């Protein structure tokens, strides 16, 4: 809202969190979506590349701002420095959703923070990874391009926008929690991150040795996969004949291990400053026991059928979802248009009036203003059948949808 007004073009990946779509509805900005890079081996989604952004600048010389997600939920980082340089050359701000990166900048073995790489604005969910209370977050601002001295974003406008979206009764619990988290990281951040990295590296090494598990690694930077936050562990359980949702349930119920993000093939864990050696032991023991049990034929047979119904991880899910999903209206126009409820088969090809996403990770598969593609519906149904949680649908059974009349 501080960088784009109604009709202004914002360049961003299609795989943003639903909070970004809320921002588009509030501001009226027109999204120009790019598809991020997808890892062909694991199906994991990375970032948009500098090359794709440079190409979009040619096609849309009137862009007002660029938004990227770095790191992703799985800890995959963008080439933020190169993207920031492109934006600065264009004289437009780079906004970074750094919800999962508030610990960056506190240890040299962690990726560099977005602001230190030239981002204009970054938002960090202090509550997710550091010790802030739930809902506490920070918006970091670099209003000036240090080279040109140009003001890329007006701090006064940011303050005004905050007044529109925040309560006029600030929570001193949340403010104190932010201050305590800041103080903790300023005084002990390096030591805490040294310990966290050691635990994460130990967990990664031990999980790697369990037959049937594949732990996501990034030995070399790839386009859209510049760096991996080592404190995120993404484990592919598909070779065990399990979906991520099934593995999550087994680990949770039998071994007291809670994944941050279960998906069709993977489980992602956050190792944070709140973890200790006992947690890592429990994680590894749980995985080892589950993998051993999965090798038992009977157990394997019960899970195999569900698994075979899943997508092939190499197909590039978002490409499939995006097929036919052109924007009919801006998210704001769609949000304020008259809508109706319609049975699903008739809804394909109509313009969605709702934001529907598997949660976590909260990346909308349907969003207001976008045409509903059959790939999107098939994907939501798979998630639902596999035991995932779908949020935002007016009809949780997905028999009907709200579409623009
Ligand atoms: C990439 C990303 N951005 C933004 C958010 C929203 O953050 P918060 O829950 O702090 O509002 C999330 C939440 O999961 C997220 O994963």
């Amino acid at each position: 809202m501080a960088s784009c007004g109604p009709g202004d073009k914002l360049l961003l990946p299609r795989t943003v969190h639903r909070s970004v779509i809320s921002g588009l509805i509030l501001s009226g900005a027109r999204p120009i979506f790019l598809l991020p890079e997808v890892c062909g081996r694991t199906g994991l989604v990375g970032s948009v590349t500098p090359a794709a952004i440079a190409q979009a600048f040619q096609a849309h010389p009137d862009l007002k701002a660029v938004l990227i997600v770095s790191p992703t939920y799985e800890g995959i980082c963008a080439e933020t420095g190169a993207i920031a340089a492109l934006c600065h050359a264009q004289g437009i701000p780079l906004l970074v959703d750094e919800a999962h990166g508030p610990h960056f900048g506190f240890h040299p073995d962690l990726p560099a923070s977005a602001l230190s790489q030239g981002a204009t604005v970054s938002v960090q969910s202090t509550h997710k990874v550091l010790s802030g209370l739930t809902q506490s977050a920070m918006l970091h601002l670099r209003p000036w391009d240090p080279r040109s001295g140009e003001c890329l974003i007006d701090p006064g406008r940011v303050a005004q926008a905050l007044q529109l979206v925040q309560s006029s009764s600030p929570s001193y619990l949340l403010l104190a929690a932010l201050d305590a988290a800041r103080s903790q990281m300023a005084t002990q951040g390096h030591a805490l991150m040294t310990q966290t990295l050691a635990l994460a590296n130990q967990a990664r090494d031990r999980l790697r040795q369990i037959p049937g598990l594949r732990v996501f690694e990034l030995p070399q930077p790839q386009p859209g996969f510049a760096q991996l936050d080592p404190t995120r562990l993404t484990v592919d359980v598909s070779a065990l004949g399990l979906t991520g949702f099934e593995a999550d349930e087994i680990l949770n119920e039998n071994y007291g291990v809670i994944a941050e993000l279960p998906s069709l093939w993977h489980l992602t864990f956050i190792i944070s400053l709140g973890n200790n050696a006992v947690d890592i032991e429990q994680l590894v023991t749980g995985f080892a026991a589950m993998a051993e049990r999965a090798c038992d034929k009977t157990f394997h047979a019960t899970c195999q059928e569900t698994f075979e119904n899943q997508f092939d991880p190499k197909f590039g899910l978002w490409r499939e979802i995006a097929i036919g999903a052109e924007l009919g209206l801006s998210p704001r126009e769609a949000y304020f248009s008259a809508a109706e409820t319609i049975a699903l088969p008739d809804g394909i090809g109509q313009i969605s009036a709702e934001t529907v996403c598997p949660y976590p990770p909260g990346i909308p598969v349907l969003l207001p203003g976008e045409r509903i593609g059959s790939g999107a519906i098939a994907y939501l149904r798979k998630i639902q059948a596999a035991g995932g949680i779908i949020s935002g649908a007016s009809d949780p059974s997905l028999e009907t949808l709200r579409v623009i009349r």
Side-chain angles (χ1 to χ4, degrees):
M1 290 168 71
S3 58
C4 292
D8 286 345
K9 288 184 183 173
L10 174 70
L11 186 69
L12 71 173
R14 174 59 181 80
T15 48
V16 286
H17 185 261
R18 62 174 304 152
S19 52
V20 176
I21 305 304
S22 304
L24 291 171
I25 293 171
L26 290 169
S27 67
R30 191 151 198 103
I32 305 294
F33 286 125
L34 292 177
L35 281 177
E37 297 299 307
V38 176
C39 167
R41 195 171 44 80
T42 60
L44 292 176
V45 171
S47 170
V48 289
T49 60
I53 289 176
Q55 213 176 353
F57 282 166
Q58 306 256 312
H60 301 278
D62 51 347
L63 284 169
K64 277 289 164 63
V66 174
L67 185 148
I68 59 170
V69 182
S70 184
T72 63
Y73 221 125
E74 293 87 357
I76 299 161
C77 299
E79 290 149 89
T80 306
I83 295 171
L86 284 171
C87 291
H88 291 175
Q90 208 74 7
I92 59 173
L94 172 64
L95 323 174
V96 182
D97 177 349
E98 203 175 28
H100 293 278
H103 54 312
F104 289 4
F106 288 100
H107 198 285
D109 293 347
L110 290 169
S113 70
L115 228 58
S116 74
Q117 296 185 73
T120 318
V121 171
S122 80
V123 63
Q124 301 178 333
S125 296
T126 313
H127 70 94
K128 285 194 204 300
V129 188
L130 302 182
S131 55
L133 290 177
T134 295
Q135 290 192 356
S136 64
M138 293 191 188
L139 181 77
H140 300 285
L141 193 58
R142 173 203 291 280
W144 299 93
D145 173 357
R147 283 173 314 161
S148 66
E150 249 181 88
C151 187
L152 294 177
I153 202 154
D154 176 1
R157 215 41 202 157
V158 174
Q160 274 182 344
L162 280 172
Q163 287 211 337
L164 290 186
V165 295
Q166 286 187 330
S167 164
S168 56
S169 312
S171 160
Y172 288 95
L173 279 180
L174 297 185
L175 291 175
L178 282 173
D179 194 28
R182 176 207 58 74
S183 165
Q184 181 183 39
M185 292 311 283
T187 57
Q188 305 161 44
H190 188 274
L192 288 168
M193 286 301 109
T194 302
Q195 173 194 307
T196 305
L197 283 160
L199 290 175
N201 291 337
Q202 191 202 5
R204 182 181 299 276
D205 286 345
R206 292 178 65 191
L207 289 178
R208 224 193 253 138
Q209 289 166 30
I210 298 176
L213 300 184
R214 274 179 301 198
V215 185
F216 180 64
E217 313 279 354
L218 195 61
Q220 305 282 342
Q222 309 282 338
F225 292 74
Q227 246 185 309
L228 179 67
D229 172 2
T231 67
R232 295 286 158 121
L233 294 177
T234 296
V235 184
D236 180 344
V237 292
S238 59
L240 299 179
L242 296 171
T243 66
F245 300 107
E246 288 165 326
D248 184 39
E249 210 169 301
I250 294 167
L251 287 173
N252 199 342
E253 283 180 7
N254 302 316
Y255 307 104
V257 173
I258 301 170
E260 173 67 22
L261 168 66
S263 63
L264 283 175
W265 315 286
H266 305 106
L267 292 171
T268 299
F269 296 87
I270 301 182
I271 312 296
S272 79
L273 52 80
N275 288 117
N276 57 32
V278 177
D279 298 333
I280 303 303
E281 200 54 48
Q282 202 168 338
L283 173 76
V284 175
T285 310
F287 259 114
M290 180 174 69
E292 204 176 298
R293 205 177 143 207
C295 291
D296 170 76
K297 276 210 162 52
T298 334
F299 178 73
H300 196 261
T302 58
C303 300
Q304 192 63 26
E305 197 189 337
T306 335
F307 176 68
E308 277 176 357
N309 284 330
Q310 308 311 321
F311 278 103
D312 175 350
K314 295 173 188 66
F315 73 116
L317 165 71
W318 288 99
R319 239 162 267 283
E320 182 140 324
I321 287 177
I323 290 173
E326 100 253 23
L327 269 188
L329 296 170
S330 78
R332 183 187 179 86
E333 286 162 349
Y335 183 84
F336 288 108
S337 293
E340 61 186 340
T341 301
I342 193 164
L344 224 188
D346 303 331
I348 308 276
Q350 304 274 348
I351 299 174
S352 176
E354 48 191 347
T355 308
V356 181
C357 43
Y359 215 110
I363 298 173
V365 171
L366 302 182
L367 55 86
E370 203 175 64
R371 284 194 192 280
I372 300 166
S374 53
I377 299 300
Y379 177 62
L380 287 171
R381 289 217 185 284
K382 295 277 177 202
I383 296 278
Q384 207 177 32
I389 296 164
I390 307 285
S391 98
S394 56
D395 171 4
S397 73
L398 294 179
E399 295 299 321
T400 62
L401 286 173
R402 298 281 293 162
V403 299
I404 301 304
R405 190 181 294 158

